[in-house]
Amino acid sequence: MIALEEEIDPAVLLAPSRPLVVHSDVAVRAALGAAPAVQALETWRQEGTRLIAPDLWAAEAVGAIRRSVAQRVLSRAEGKGALSRLFALGIESVPLDLALSRQAFDWAERLGATRGQGAFYVALAERERATLWTANRRFALRARQSGAAWVRHLDETDLP
């Protein structure tokens, strides 16, 4: 039997880990079966990581799946199946409030964005001191260049 040299504080073992912010584009890719997104979400789930996203994630994801159906990339039945898988991913919706909206407004300005959807993800990750994972390379790069060092792209080597 191996003896520990120092005792581990039980509170550390029971302390909840920081959540992880999942961009809607990661959720959509996972719902459509894209390997990197599926693998990442499975790893995070196995680790017991709390997955969160601003409330708007579901509307964005449903819109992306609907576009794929309208463009005949997916059949209607495939789109419906993707919706079921989307909501089985276990992503918790975080309500949008005034404080988060103000923070997102500021981030949208820093990102040079005319619309603020992506800024909500950055703002939520900043507020929660969490990593934000996206499938959009340009968004990840622009966010980091704007000071959001906690934004990562699925293809990065530090993927779990």
Side-chain angles (χ1 to χ4, degrees), residues 24-82:
S24 62
D25 57 15
V26 173
V28 169
R29 288 182 186 208
L32 296 177
V38 170
Q39 177 186 11
L41 284 164
E42 183 59 31
T43 299
W44 296 326
R45 265 198 306 268
Q46 288 174 358
E47 293 172 348
T49 303
R50 181 174 161 231
L51 305 175
I52 63 173
D55 252 350
L56 57 90
W57 83 271
E60 289 184 322
V62 170
I65 292 169
R66 175 64 194 126
R67 266 190 310 280
S68 293
V69 172
Q71 295 170 348
R72 293 189 165 87
V73 174
L74 299 175
S75 70
R76 186 174 192 281
E78 290 169 329
K80 291 280 192 160

Side-chain angles (χ1 to χ4, degrees), residues 53-56 93-106 116 119-121 123-124 127-128:
D55 252 350
L56 57 90
S93 293
V94 176
L96 308 182
D97 58 20
L98 180 58
L100 185 62
S101 297
R102 285 181 172 157
Q103 200 172 350
F105 185 89
D106 291 340
F120 273 98
Y121 295 90
L124 179 61
R127 182 177 83 182
E128 297 294 325

Side-chain angles (χ1 to χ4, degrees), residues 83-126:
L83 288 177
S84 295
R85 290 186 297 278
L86 182 72
F87 285 93
L89 295 174
I91 298 171
E92 177 187 332
S93 293
V94 176
L96 308 182
D97 58 20
L98 180 58
L100 185 62
S101 297
R102 285 181 172 157
Q103 200 172 350
F105 185 89
D106 291 340
W107 271 110
E109 184 175 33
R110 288 174 75 177
L111 295 167
T114 55
R115 300 183 332 183
Q117 291 93 328
F120 273 98
Y121 295 90
V122 177
L124 179 61
E126 180 180 48

